[in-house]
């Protein structure tokens, strides 16, 4: 006999309980019409992931319980359909008790209008972007339920995300009679994470001898992105199914329940290049942040440099040219090739493009401060004034027309403080804040060689990529005037910030002491800037955001 299950790889909106419930109902009905009798939705699908301190509000937990009941009641007429939904729940929330004693990251099993089982996540992650011990109490019991019509019943062991990264929950499910492991997940993307998941789940399959289905969330939520890429593994570790990445998909998996061995089969999406995953993560992150927060469009300062060029290309791929506006704001130090290249790129991408000179405002600021600055040489003060004029102009356009400002700073700049508070850091969303400068160059080359969304082939003028980077805030300025080469700088950031190596161990790896001490000092003293930076898309295993929580006032240096 054959059981068809559906992996409902869906994009939910945090807090939109009615909308999320309706999405689950619709997907379940469509899956049922296509023969599915088991539907798996992602972790916390009722409320979206992650709802953060909403989990602390009893009213929120009550509303989530109500939404689960709505889904169950709405599918009561579908005979033999079992649906697994993820949701938070509290020990006393169903009775509206004033005291909610415990909260759980849970999954309920719904069948013909009833909740037939509820499982509480056992392993609560509290690292990287995860903060689940702040909100939830761990469960302790296995959950095994039956799914499928008569003659094709299957005993399914339920796990939630982190549970599957440990041996005990899966082993307990097998002991309780599970024939198949169903893992529902909300696992944030970073480069290489997809293959890590498949490797780890193969270990779980090898340890238990059970086939496994991994149902994963897709979509952007503030700084994190979930890429989907749900999959299924047969008991021998063979890949039986893989859903597409970075798009909603209801994958139907046929499960042969006849005989002793359970065998699954479904379409397998091909393995993808890391650059394609990274590009799609950035695009989805922008699209969902703008769309879910109901901004009509975006605008950015287009300088003629590589960072803003890359952000423009991402924004157009995410939103379409009609929702993107680029503004060139030349100063007295802006080279002609900068506005020529900016204008050319805007024309290639078909976006609205405007030029607003900041020279008059710059002269006015200097005149207003002339008495105070008398006898003092120009320095970073005047450089920052130019950046802040640009930030003010962009925010004025944002206020007047409603479009959100995208900032264009990269991870190398955020690390070392080579960014201006209330200047180039002013805006609502920092698209490439987790891309080191070397990765900015790599992705610019990649985008010029690929047009994944059919918006524009070869969008970035070659000179933007090849010319030496410069902020153009003083005559003949170059980024490398005061920083090590980006290959060196980014390697030090990777070791110190992303992987917690000590200063001495980095020097022992062959880096010059002067470079290491300078870069790590800059990282340490610029925490106050990063605390005031807009949220941006996390694409590495450690970003400047929830992954990085260092005190601003701090004397430790190592």
């Amino acid at each position: 006999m054959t059981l068809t299950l559906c992996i409902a790889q869906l994009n939910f909106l945090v807090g939109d309980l009615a909308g999320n419930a309706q999405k689950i109902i619709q997907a379940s009905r469509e899956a049922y019409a296509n023969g599915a009798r088991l539907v798996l939705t992602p972790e916390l699908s009722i409320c979206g992931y992650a709802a953060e301190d909403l989990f602390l509000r009893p009213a929120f937990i009550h509303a989530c319980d109500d939404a689960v009941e709505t889904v169950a009641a709405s599918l009561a007429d579908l005979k033999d359909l079992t649906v697994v939904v993820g949701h938070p729940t509290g020990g006393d929330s169903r009775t509206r008790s004033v005291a909610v004693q415990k909260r759980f990251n849970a999954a309920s099993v719904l069948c013909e209008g009833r909740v037939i089982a509820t499982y509480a996540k056992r392993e609560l992650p509290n690292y990287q972007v995860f903060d689940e011990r702040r909100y939830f109490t761990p469960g302790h019991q296995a959950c095994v339920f039956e799914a499928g019509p008569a003659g094709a019943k299957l005993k399914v062991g339920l796990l939630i995300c982190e549970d599957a990264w440990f041996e005990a929950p899966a082993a307990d499910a097998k002991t309780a009679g599970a024939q198949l492991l169903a893992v529902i997940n909300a696992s944030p993307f970073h480069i290489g994470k997809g293959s890590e998941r498949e490797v780890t789940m193969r270990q779980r399959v090898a340890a238990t001898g059970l086939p496994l289905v991994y149902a994963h969330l897709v979509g952007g939520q503030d700084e994190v992105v979930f890429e989907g890429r749900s999959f299924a593994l047969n008991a021998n570790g063979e890949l039986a199914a893989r859903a597409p990445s970075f798009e909603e998909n209801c994958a139907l998996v046929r499960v042969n329940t006849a005989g002793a061995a359970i065998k699954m089969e479904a379409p397998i999406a091909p393995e993808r290049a890391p650059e394609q995953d990274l590009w799609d993560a950035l695009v989805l992150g922008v699209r969902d942040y703008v769309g879910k927060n109901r901004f009509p469009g975006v605008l950015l300062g287009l300088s003629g440099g590589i960072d803003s060029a890359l952000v423009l290309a991402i924004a157009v791929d995410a939103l379409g040219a009609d929702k993107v506006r680029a503004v060139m704001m030349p100063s007295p130090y802006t080279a002609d090739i900068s506005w020529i290249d900016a204008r050319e790129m805007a024309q290639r991408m078909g976006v609205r493009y405007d030029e607003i000179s900041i020279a008059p405002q710059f002269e006015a600021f200097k005149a207003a401060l002339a008495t105070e600055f008398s006898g003092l040489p120009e320095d970073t003060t005047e450089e920052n004034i130019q950046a802040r004029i640009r930030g003010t102009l962009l925010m004025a356009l944002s206020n007047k027309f409603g479009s959100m400002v995208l900032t264009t700073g990269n991870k190398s700049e955020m690390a070392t403080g080579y960014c201006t508070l209330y200047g180039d850091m002013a805006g609502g969303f920092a698209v490439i804040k987790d891309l080191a400068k070397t990765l900015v160059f790599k992705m610019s080359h990649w985008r010029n060689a690929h047009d994944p969304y059919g918006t524009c082939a070869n969008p970035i003028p070659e000179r933007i990529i090849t010319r030496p980077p410069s902020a153009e805030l003083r005559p003949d300025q170059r980024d490398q005037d005061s920083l090590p080469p980006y290959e060196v700088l980014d390697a030090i950031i990777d070791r110190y910030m992303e992987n917690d190596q000590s200063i001495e161990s980095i020097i022992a790896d062959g880096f010059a002491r002067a470079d290491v001490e300078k870069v790590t000092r800059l990282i340490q003293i610029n925490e106050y800037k990063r605390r005031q930076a807009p949220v941006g898309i996390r694409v590495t295993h450690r970003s400047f955001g929830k992954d990085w929580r260092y005190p601003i006032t701090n004397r430790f240096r190592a």
Side-chain angles (χ1 to χ4, degrees), residues 26-98:
Q26 181 178 344
S28 298
R29 287 194 168 275
E30 291 176 0
Y32 188 83
N34 290 319
R37 294 300 179 264
L38 172 61
V39 176
L40 303 175
T41 70
E43 180 178 10
L44 293 172
S45 52
I46 285 290
C47 62
Y49 192 99
E52 299 183 322
D53 280 10
L54 286 173
F55 291 131
L56 302 179
R57 301 184 67 85
F60 182 73
I61 303 298
H62 298 161
C64 288
D65 286 334
D66 288 344
V68 173
E69 293 172 3
T70 296
V71 174
S74 298
L75 300 174
D77 60 311
L78 303 183
K79 182 176 172 55
D80 293 327
L81 177 67
T82 302
V83 180
V84 176
V85 296
H87 62 98
T89 192
D92 296 328
S93 64
R94 290 187 185 275
T95 59
R96 300 295 196 270
S97 168
V98 174

Side-chain angles (χ1 to χ4, degrees), residues 93-394:
S93 64
R94 290 187 185 275
T95 59
R96 300 295 196 270
S97 168
V98 174
V100 177
Q101 296 176 348
K102 294 180 180 179
R103 286 180 301 271
F104 300 99
N105 181 342
S108 285
V109 182
L110 316 180
C111 186
E112 298 181 7
R114 297 183 301 114
V115 176
I116 63 172
T118 296
Y119 172 73
K121 186 175 182 179
R122 295 169 59 174
E123 300 292 343
L124 302 177
N126 225 62
Y127 57 88
Q128 293 180 340
V129 298
F130 301 106
D131 226 358
E132 292 196 22
R133 294 178 196 169
R134 175 179 175 87
Y135 306 114
F136 301 120
T137 298
H140 300 286
Q141 302 298 320
C143 177
V144 176
F145 62 92
E146 282 194 342
K153 292 286 187 182
L154 190 65
K155 291 184 177 180
V156 181
L158 184 56
L159 305 175
I160 302 178
C161 204
E162 191 82 358
D163 291 337
W165 292 71
F166 292 82
E167 293 183 2
D172 290 348
K174 181 178 181 179
T175 300
Q179 298 169 284
L180 171 75
L181 297 176
V183 189
I184 66 169
N185 304 270
S187 175
F189 168 83
H190 65 246
I191 300 168
K193 186 63 178 288
S195 57
E196 287 179 28
R197 295 192 198 102
E198 289 187 14
V199 168
T200 301
M201 293 307 103
R202 281 194 176 90
Q203 294 171 358
R204 205 55 55 237
V205 166
T208 61
L210 297 179
L212 180 147
V213 180
Y214 189 100
H216 192 212
L217 183 65
V218 68
Q221 172 59 32
D222 295 347
E223 71 186 86
V224 295
V225 175
F226 305 91
E227 84 269 37
R229 190 180 154 138
S230 303
F231 60 91
L233 301 172
N234 281 316
N236 61 0
E238 167 195 28
L239 185 66
R242 183 192 288 140
S245 299
F246 299 101
E247 62 184 67
E248 289 191 307
N249 182 270
C250 286
L252 296 177
V253 180
R254 292 172 57 85
V255 185
N256 186 345
T257 61
I262 292 170
K263 182 80 170 177
M264 295 185 289
E265 60 180 22
I268 298 175
E271 192 64 78
R272 294 154 47 96
E275 293 83 2
Q276 178 72 68
D277 276 350
L278 177 53
W279 190 264
D280 284 348
L282 294 166
V283 166
L284 183 57
V286 170
R287 181 185 298 140
D288 274 5
Y289 193 83
V290 172
K292 291 179 178 180
N293 287 294
R294 298 176 178 172
F295 289 100
V298 298
L299 68 149
L300 67 147
L302 190 64
S303 68
I306 193 168
D307 296 315
S308 62
L310 185 64
V311 171
L312 177 60
I314 294 166
V316 172
D317 279 4
L319 306 172
D322 61 320
K323 292 185 178 180
V324 181
R325 180 178 180 182
V327 184
M328 173 59 163
M329 296 168 284
S331 79
Y333 307 117
T334 300
D336 287 347
I337 59 173
S338 294
W339 66 259
I340 291 170
D341 290 344
R343 183 181 297 175
E344 180 183 347
M345 183 173 179
Q347 289 173 343
R348 290 187 189 186
M349 302 224 75
V351 301
R352 175 175 175 176
Y353 172 79
D354 299 284
E355 292 177 6
I356 304 174
S357 173
I358 68 167
Q361 297 91 331
F362 185 40
E363 291 305 317
F365 268 94
K366 290 198 293 184
L369 293 165
T371 301
E372 295 294 332
F373 291 176
S374 178
L376 300 175
E378 291 195 358
D379 55 17
T380 56
T381 305
E382 286 75 16
E383 295 180 25
N384 289 341
I385 287 173
Q386 295 169 70
R388 288 172 179 143
I389 292 169
R390 290 179 172 130
T392 299
L393 292 174
L394 288 174

Side-chain angles (χ1 to χ4, degrees), residues 402-419:
S403 294
M404 182 182 65
V405 176
L406 300 179
T407 66
T408 60
N410 60 61
K411 191 171 190 173
S412 305
E413 294 169 346
M414 295 301 295
T416 56
Y418 276 58
C419 45

